[in-house]
Amino acid sequence: MRRIFFVLLLLPALFTMPAFAQVPGAQIDVKHYTFDIKLNDADNNIEGKATVSVRFLNGAEGFSLDLVKKNAEGKGMLVSAVTENGKPVKFTQDDEQLKINTRAYKGNTRDYTISYSGIPADGLIISTNAFGHRTFFGDNWPNRAHNWLPCVDNIADKATVDFIVTAPDHYQVVSNGLQTEEKQLDGKLKLTHWVEAVALPTKVMVIGVAEFAVDRPGDVNGIPVFTYVFPESKEVGFKSYAVAKNILPYFIKNVGPYSYEKLANVQSKTIFGGMENASAIFYFEESVKSPDIEELMAHEIAHQWFGDGASEKSFGHLWLSEGFATYMTNLYLENKYGADTLKTRLIGQRKKVLDFEKGRLTPVVDTAVKTKFMQLLNANSYEKGGWVLHMLRRKLGDDVFWKGVRNYYSKYQGSNANTDDLRRVMEQTSGKDLKPFFTQWLRNAGHPNLAVSWKYNEKDGYITINVTQNQAYVYNLPLEVSVDGQLLTVPVKEKSTTARFRVKAKPADVKVDPNINLLASFEEKR
Ligand SMILES: [Zn+2]
């Protein structure tokens, strides 16, 4: 997703305890969800019937699903009944979980149907848009789905999903996958059924329910691209959102096949700038008028590959989503607008990393954050993650880098990966040992702070360049220096490195990192 400034203000309300049902020892693997949700205009109560198809990974005396229970303020869900393959079973609810009593053996597959209702405390945002109209938008990242959906609210348990929404008939419903049914019901109600046949993590399962104007600006490789905007935004939104059809081909060509049945770009009430819900991306309301819509869309569309298709195994490896989306956006824009655009963006992103590290020194792979995942929406996950990919690209060269990216996506499309999984794919592709590179940039906090000085030896026609690492951790990195247009590379490995290069004349123009290829701060001395 893309952060927007007010995200931080909402944080305290959003933290919920995750249930790591898919970490070693998980009891169940969810294969499919059918969420039957009834919405109304009189109040914010929702009525749900969720059928969860489960395979037991181990023998179990009961198991849990994540679901926020109705609290003292009256928000949350109350379960009225649970059935197992159609027969009633006993259950209990605590603040965050629904515990189902059953005896099961490893390999058993069963359907559990949970009847519940309540006012969502979060996760399904029921509000009013800028035009005064009532709207409903799912907003599940990182683990807010269980505020309104009984589920295994863990990124590592992917499942296919059906949403069957019954709502007043003036609404339209958009969701993941394909719409298979829309029918009028008595009482001015309408039923809309969407089916997602590709397994998703709960963080990107959504419905959007509002009055929409819908456009289809084009198809890409047989994938229909849709625009859903509020009717009042029709003119500006149909135009600005149409850029999606130019972005999609870039990622299909360079990374691999698109995973989903369609791509809908939806004006919404997400708390984020953009949220990469699989095949139904939600954007902030004002995005229709944003001059940065192309960049925002490139970021969210890149997530369809990185984050949705190939997902991180846990949020400690969030950079596999956000670092990739950040750098893939850079690559798309470089391809379209040229190398200077990439350089300008890298300079800005480097500054963000250096500024961020003044206040918080943690590695990019940040497994210390166990619950407050919103904290990970930071310059480490986005800009530093992106910068690491840039340096990896320069280290391997464009061909090998892209080949590695394609191999990684092809191996983990539809499943989950961590940082070591990416490293292994990149090592297999390049034939290089990348452990030192991954360790110094991703497992180590901070950045190189390099003091660079040079001297010209007129008698011998040499320039001597000295690089001193002024931070505690000693990096191994190539530092590029241009001397009157001649590009030199200083292999920096020690606390202090001195290298000599023959030059034609007394240097007049010396530039450190002229092509913006190193994430470091520089102190230049003559
Ligand atoms: Zn993102």
Side-chain angles (χ1 to χ4, degrees), residues 1-3 274 276 299-300 303 321-322 325-326 382:
M1 84 279 325
R2 284 295 289 268
R3 300 152 291 176
E276 63 270 20
H299 180 102
E300 304 307 336
H303 270 309
S321 277
E322 298 303 347
T326 301
Y382 287 73

